[in-house]
Structure formats: structure tokens, C-alpha cells
Amino acid sequence: MLIMPACAQTDSEVPTINPTATYTTDDGEEESEDYSGNAPLPGVFRANPENVGEYTASYEWHFTLEGEESPYLTRYEEDTEYTFTQAGTHNIVLYATFVNGTDTIAYTEEYWAERGPLRVSISESQLEMPNAFSPNGDGINDIYKAKSNYQSIVEFHAYIFNRWGQKLYEWNDPAGGWDGKYKGKDVAQGVYFVLVKARGADGREFNIKRDVNLLRGYTESTGTITE
């Protein structure tokens, strides 16, 4: 006996699946069948089978970029994990087969044609660095770091130098940054230099070189600089 897609899900006597996707974001975990986010994006995919009973189950997860015919990744466990690092729309489906003697319950193309795949869209990469910051302890712009609109950055390394080419600081997370100190002490107000080498999920390379104005006496509320 072969039972295909949705009709099988309504029968409580046969195995069913209910595939779900949960993504780990900066705000925590989010379960979604159609999610948009930035790389790297970890995801957990669960088959959630029910009524398996005496049936022997086999699973086949397919991860495919939209517009492509063949999956770039196939996994064979009931639940699987994957971290998305490539920009574009990814379609995820689960082919599940349950066998008990001569009875076979299969969830394949027809099931997903009716339901639609799990989908995740990874944004194109973006990265900008500011030209100034004001580490004066007022809690506003105290840290020199990437502008908050960065997205889908999978590799990042930044260096701060003084005017003589001495390296003062480095960091490898776009969410991190420099507090205007060297060996625990405040550096003088003035012009410094940042070098950033980064790569986006879409393969874009970033090689940013620019001056950084450290305005220690700058007050955001008045827009003035004091010595």
C-alpha cells in the first residue's frame, strides 16, 4: 500500500510528519517556515514524526538554492542542523518513508508540492565603518565598530593603528569594537587608522582602509568638542 502526502496526515493510524525549522538569531530562537536573515544563520530542522509504531522510518533532507534543480546538501537523519553562509533563498524539504511489511507510507514530491518547502532567505552582504567616535563615557558612540547596518558577514578582522603605524587593537567580530584604549589606558584625541578585511556570505570581499577621528571631548547632546 502506498499512501501519499496530505491524505496520510489525516489518518491517525499511519505515520505522519510535521517538519519545522528553528533559527538561532541575535534575539534568540525563532521557529518559522519562511525566514529572512543574515549569515551566518544556524538552523535546526526537525521531522516531528507521529504514529510511527511498528514502521521503520527513513529520512532524507534536501537543501536546494532557489533556481537550482539539484540539492547542494542531503542529510539522512530524523533531525538535522545546518548553518547558512551563502546568500540567496534556500528551500528545504524532507522526504520521509515509513515501511511496515508490505505497507509503505511516503512523503515526497507530492507532499511538498501541496505544502511548499521550508524557506530561508540570506541577505546580500553589507559592511561600513564610521570615520569617528567619541569615547567619553557618556554611553553614546563610545565604541568604534562597524555601522549597525552590517549584514551577512561571515569573516571579519579589523585593526587600529596610530599615525606611526603601531597596531593598537584588533578584533574579529563585527559586533565588537575598540574602546579608545591601548594597554588599558586612554589614547590621545586625534586621528587614527582602521584596516578591515572581511568577506560576505555572497563571496563579496571587503578591504576597508580609512581614518578614524577619536573625539574624546565631543559631547553628543551639544555637538561641541572640548579639550
Side-chain angles (χ1 to χ4, degrees), residues 86-97:
Q86 184 175 354
T89 299
H90 304 251
N91 294 325
I92 303 98
V93 299
L94 169 65
Y95 291 173
T97 303

Side-chain angles (χ1 to χ4, degrees), residues 10-30:
T10 62
D11 187 345
S12 62
E13 299 303 316
V14 300
T16 64
I17 59 172
N18 181 32
T20 58
T22 303
Y23 302 100
T24 302
T25 71
D26 293 339
D27 298 323
E29 293 188 346
E30 180 171 344

Side-chain angles (χ1 to χ4, degrees), residues 5-154:
C7 62
Q9 283 197 304
T10 62
D11 187 345
S12 62
E13 299 303 316
V14 300
T16 64
I17 59 172
N18 181 32
T20 58
T22 303
Y23 302 100
T24 302
T25 71
D26 293 339
D27 298 323
E29 293 188 346
E30 180 171 344
E31 184 175 317
S32 176
E33 292 194 1
D34 192 347
Y35 185 79
S36 296
N38 301 323
L41 178 67
V44 177
F45 302 89
R46 297 182 174 89
N48 299 308
E50 293 185 1
N51 307 318
V52 175
E54 299 297 320
Y55 285 84
T56 298
S58 62
Y59 303 96
E60 189 172 310
W61 291 93
H62 290 184
F63 293 72
T64 307
L65 276 172
E66 195 159 279
E68 301 288 335
E69 294 184 2
S70 300
Y72 62 83
L73 177 68
T74 303
R75 295 276 180 80
Y76 297 95
E77 54 262 31
E78 177 180 322
D79 301 330
T80 193
E81 300 180 12
Y82 182 69
T83 298
F84 297 91
T85 59
Q86 184 175 354
T89 299
H90 304 251
N91 294 325
I92 303 98
V93 299
L94 169 65
Y95 291 173
T97 303
F98 303 90
V99 178
N100 183 10
T102 59
D103 292 343
T104 299
I105 313 298
Y107 298 86
T108 54
E109 289 92 346
E110 292 184 26
Y111 171 80
W112 290 102
E114 179 175 329
R115 168 176 171 157
L118 301 170
R119 181 177 285 107
V120 56
S121 298
I122 301 298
S123 302
E124 294 183 354
S125 61
Q126 181 173 319
L127 179 66
E128 297 178 87
M129 302 298 293
N131 64 359
F133 75 125
S134 55
N136 55 14
D138 65 356
I140 303 173
N141 203 25
D142 281 334
I143 303 296
Y144 182 80
K145 58 184 179 180
K147 291 186 178 181
S148 59
N149 62 349
Y150 75 85
Q151 57 189 27
S152 291
I153 300 300
V154 294

